[in-house]
């Protein structure tokens, strides 16, 4: 019976795989037939429509299942503008990776991969095999909006150029983001109750957290305050690393272009020493390594948390967003030139769009996606077409206002019905002026907090670099064991299971497991990137 069930399962998997590939192949053939008459001469280099003859292309993307893409107003409007019809062969987020791998393996390719999260290794592999076509000449000749951004921000161009000198996939570019992880927030009520201004050093931070523990700032007569809480330190590690001069919780590069692996450096030793001090005095939540994020937030709703990480303080403390709970100012430690902050690198994802060797009209495809790197295209794909969720109050100066949500529900939820740019990362760009007039008082307060507290000490921690296939294989092999060991030892150092007197022994073990070799590999990759 086991053999029969096993054979049946294999047959089912094979049938499913063949069905998926057949669907990809049949619709791809249809798009080719509909597009054979189009040539580069049929593609306008500016203006709409993009093509002088009807064109149908096959797209493969991730899909949240909120709305049929053929019924999305943003995509319907894009078809009217461009003259290009898209046939969508989407997959759910859970199944997309499997489906993508099957498509690559079969050779029955879509014309376009969209929001496909193509990893650097995939770009290098399938680009060198000719499955994905080079895009740099198409960018220079058919993508004026993207080209303008890349010319203005040459580091982005370097970051999407593979070691063989080609660009095989396009990024999502965010020119306004400051953080890519939720920052740390103070409970403003606690600061006020204790009549404390924000700490500026690690010692002042320790003193404040100790007062929280001892002086009942929530005023309920119980010692139930939690000075600092976390979930396995994953939510605070990057922010706290900056107190000891480290720009990232992983590989980072300093202002002298030197690459660092932080877990063997003096800054990291200072970090675990401080966290162990907080743990020993019960200032760091002793449920840190066992609780879920929801359990941490439940303490915030009960007004027990003094310092915590989240995207916004109201997500943990409850209530409406306002400026009453300050963003934490990074504090200075004994490490010279601290604190620092690892800023959002400007690339949200850099494998969002690619053109395959099956595509009959690469020039038209590049013009189509380039619209999403313009102000108008970014507005339409980011917020939906005009007059659904928003309208202009001053079109000349790009000032907008929100409109009531048509079904009376949440704006973000409704946005998922009108544009694919919701819950997945598509190609395109984001910048602050796209939201002129749409930003709340809280948004403007956040801008001020970022400008005062983070931007003066910020630096992109590490650019998006490409490793060669050999380097990728070596780092993957090294890090499979090393990353697990480092995280395990962090918990042991912080909780005291491993005495800090054993630091030198730990450091030697990390170096033996490949810590120094990882630095060498990434230094070489960074130097190649920096030399472009």
């Amino acid at each position: 019976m086991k053999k029969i069930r096993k054979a049946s399962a294999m047959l089912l998997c094979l049938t499913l795989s063949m069905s998926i590939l057949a669907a990809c192949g049949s619709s791809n053939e249809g798009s080719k037939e509909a597009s054979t008459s189009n040539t580069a001469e049929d593609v306008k280099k500016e203006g709409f429509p993009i093509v002088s003859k009807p064109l149908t292309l096959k797209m493969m993307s991730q899909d949240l299942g909120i709305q049929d893409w053929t019924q999305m107003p943003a995509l319907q409007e894009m078809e009217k503008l461009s003259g290009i019809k898209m046939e969508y062969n989407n997959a759910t987020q859970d199944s997309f990776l499997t489906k993508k791998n099957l498509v690559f393996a079969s050779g029955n390719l879509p014309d376009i991969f969209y929001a496909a999260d193509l990893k650097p290794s995939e770009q290098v592999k399938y680009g060198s095999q000719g499955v994905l076509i080079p895009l740099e000449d198409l960018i220079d000749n058919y993508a004026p909006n993207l080209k303008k951004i890349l010319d203005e921000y040459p580091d982005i161009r370097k970051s999407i150029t593979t070691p063989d000198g080609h660009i095989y996939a396009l990024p999502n570019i965010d020119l306004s983001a400051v953080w890519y992880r939720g920052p740390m927030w103070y409970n403003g009520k606690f600061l006020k109750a204790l009549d404390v201004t924000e700490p500026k050093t690690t010692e002042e931070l320790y003193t404040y957290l100790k007062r929280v523990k001892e002086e009942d700032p929530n005023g309920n007569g119980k010692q139930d305050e939690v000075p600092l809480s976390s979930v396995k330190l994953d939510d605070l590690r990057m922010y706290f690393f900056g107190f000891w001069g480290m720009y990232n919780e992983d590989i980072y590069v300093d202002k002298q272009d030197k690459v660092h692996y932080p877990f063997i450096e003096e800054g990291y030793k200072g970090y675990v020493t401080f966290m162990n001090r907080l743990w020993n005095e019960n200032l760091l939540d002793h449920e840190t390594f066992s609780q879920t994020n929801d359990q941490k937030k439940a303490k915030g709703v009960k007004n027990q948390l003094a310092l915590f990480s989240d995207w916004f303080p109201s997500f943990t403390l409850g209530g409406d967003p306002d400026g009453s709970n300050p963003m934490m100012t990074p504090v200075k430690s004994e490490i010279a030139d601290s604190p620092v902050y690892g800023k959002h690198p400007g690339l949200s994802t850099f494998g969002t769009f690619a053109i395959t060797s099956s595509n009959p009209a690469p020039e038209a495809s590049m013009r189509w996606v380039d619209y999403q790197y313009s102000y108008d295209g970014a507005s339409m794909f980011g917020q939906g077409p005009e007059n659904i969720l928003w309208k202009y109050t001053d079109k000349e100066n790009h000032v907008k206002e929100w409109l009531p949500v048509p079904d009376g529900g949440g704006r973000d939820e409704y946005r998922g019905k009108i544009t694919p740019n919701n819950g997945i990362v598509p190609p395109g760009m984001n910048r602050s002026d796209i939201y002129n007039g749409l930003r709340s008082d809280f948004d403007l307060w956040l801008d001020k907090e970022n400008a005062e507290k983070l931007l003066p000490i910020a630096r992109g921690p590490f650019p998006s670099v490409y490793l060669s296939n050999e380097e990728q294989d070596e780092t993957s092999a090294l890090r499979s064991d090393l990353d697990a060991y480092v995280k395990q030892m962090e918990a042991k150092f912080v909780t005291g299971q491993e005495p800090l007197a054993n630091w030198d022994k730990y450091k030697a073990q990390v170096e033996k497991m490949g810590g120094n070799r990882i630095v060498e590999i990434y230094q070489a990759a960074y130097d190649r990137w920096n030399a472009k």
Side-chain angles (χ1 to χ4, degrees), residues 218-362:
N218 67 10
N220 66 357
K222 303 176 184 177
Q223 198 177 60
D224 61 348
E225 290 84 357
V226 181
L228 174 63
S229 192
S230 174
V231 178
K232 298 179 175 61
L233 303 179
D234 292 339
D235 49 356
L236 64 74
R237 188 181 298 109
M238 195 204 84
Y239 210 85
F240 269 53
F241 268 27
F243 307 166
W244 283 270
M246 299 175 288
Y247 284 98
N248 194 22
E249 59 184 315
D250 196 50
I251 298 295
Y252 72 91
V253 63
D254 63 22
K255 293 180 180 179
Q256 287 73 46
D257 293 329
K258 180 182 177 183
V259 171
H260 296 260
Y261 181 66
F263 301 102
I264 51 178
E265 300 193 333
E266 285 302 304
Y268 182 69
K269 182 180 180 182
Y271 157 78
V272 292
T273 300
F274 182 78
M275 300 304 285
N276 173 252
R277 181 186 185 190
L278 298 185
W279 180 273
N280 288 340
E281 299 193 34
N282 211 23
L283 305 181
L284 172 62
D285 192 345
H286 276 208
E287 294 181 344
T288 284
F289 295 100
S290 60
Q291 69 183 346
T292 65
N293 195 48
D294 286 342
Q295 289 170 328
K296 183 190 81 170
K297 289 187 176 187
K299 298 171 185 175
V301 173
K302 295 177 183 177
N303 197 31
Q304 293 177 304
L305 299 186
L307 180 60
F308 56 90
S309 173
D310 209 330
W311 281 107
F312 305 112
S314 60
F315 287 6
T316 290
L317 299 178
D320 296 325
D322 59 31
S324 62
N325 300 294
M327 181 188 297
M328 182 188 192
T329 301
V331 295
K332 181 176 178 57
S333 71
E334 70 278 7
I335 298 295
D337 299 322
S338 65
V340 299
Y341 179 73
K343 182 180 180 292
H344 190 288
L347 293 176
S348 295
T349 303
F350 67 121
T352 64
F353 181 91
I355 299 174
T356 74
S357 56
S358 297
N359 191 306

